[in-house]
Amino acid sequence: MVVQVGEAFLALVDRALRHHKLSRAGREALAVIEGAGKPLSPTAIAQRLIVTTASVTSLLDTLERRGLVVRRPDPRDRRGLLVALTPDGRALVEDFLPQVVALQTAVMAGLSEPQRQQLIKLLSTVRAGITAVDADAVVHDAPPRGKPQHP
């Protein structure tokens, strides 16, 4: 259920922000760079987005073509690059982030403040469980599926 709700919310955000003509990955990359408050290496961006550096390279190519980011040599590492927002990229982030917050607020409007606090606490517990689980062991020990009961 948690995954389904998260996916439904992300689909809602995608539909609502389609006028920006920017993919979810593009929005997330711009937000990561903006949130860092300084230029980031492509590797750091990939780590924060939990994707491969190859995926980030392609994404950055697209964002750079659109004039939203610029790649510059890293002054501390001749082999490295740093990615920074352009003024257009910063303006776009300033435009869409409040829209995402407004969507979150609208979606949560049906919950009272105590319910919202309880939901946050429960989701924090789930997140802690995700961090603590040994996924390989769980998958290894998973029982086989029983025979489906079809009429």
Side-chain angles (χ1 to χ4, degrees):
M1 182 66 136
V2 171
V3 172
Q4 292 165 330
V5 170
E7 299 258 347
F9 178 73
L10 292 174
L12 173 70
V13 171
D14 289 343
R15 283 192 313 275
L17 300 185
R18 68 187 174 278
H19 62 281
H20 292 296
K21 297 182 177 24
L22 193 62
S23 68
R24 182 184 307 169
R27 288 191 311 270
E28 290 172 354
L30 293 177
V32 160
I33 298 165
E34 192 272 341
K38 63 181 183 180
L40 294 174
S41 70
T43 300
I45 295 167
Q47 289 169 341
R48 292 178 188 196
L49 293 175
I50 314 172
V51 298
T52 66
T53 52
S55 297
V56 165
T57 299
S58 174
L59 178 60
L60 293 175
D61 289 344
T62 300
L63 295 174
E64 193 169 40
R65 273 194 305 274
R66 288 197 50 191
L68 302 174
V69 299
V70 61
R71 289 182 262 205
R72 297 188 178 121
D74 183 341
R76 294 168 292 150
D77 179 359
R78 292 185 331 190
R79 298 165 296 157
L81 292 173
L82 293 175
V83 181
L85 294 178
T86 65
D88 285 349
R90 186 166 308 284
L92 187 54
V93 172
E94 293 297 326
D95 195 26
F96 75 71
L97 279 183
Q99 295 169 354
V100 172
V101 171
L103 288 167
Q104 290 172 337
T105 302
V107 166
M108 300 295 277
L111 298 177
S112 67
E113 185 57 29
Q115 288 173 321
R116 279 194 292 274
Q117 292 305 317
Q118 183 178 12
L119 178 60
I120 289 168
K121 185 176 179 180
L122 292 170
L123 290 173
S124 294
T125 301
V126 171
R127 182 172 43 193
I130 290 169
T131 303
V133 76
D134 180 348
D136 292 332
V138 171
V139 169
H140 179 267
D141 296 339
R145 180 177 180 205
K147 190 170 187 172
Q149 301 295 320
H150 297 288

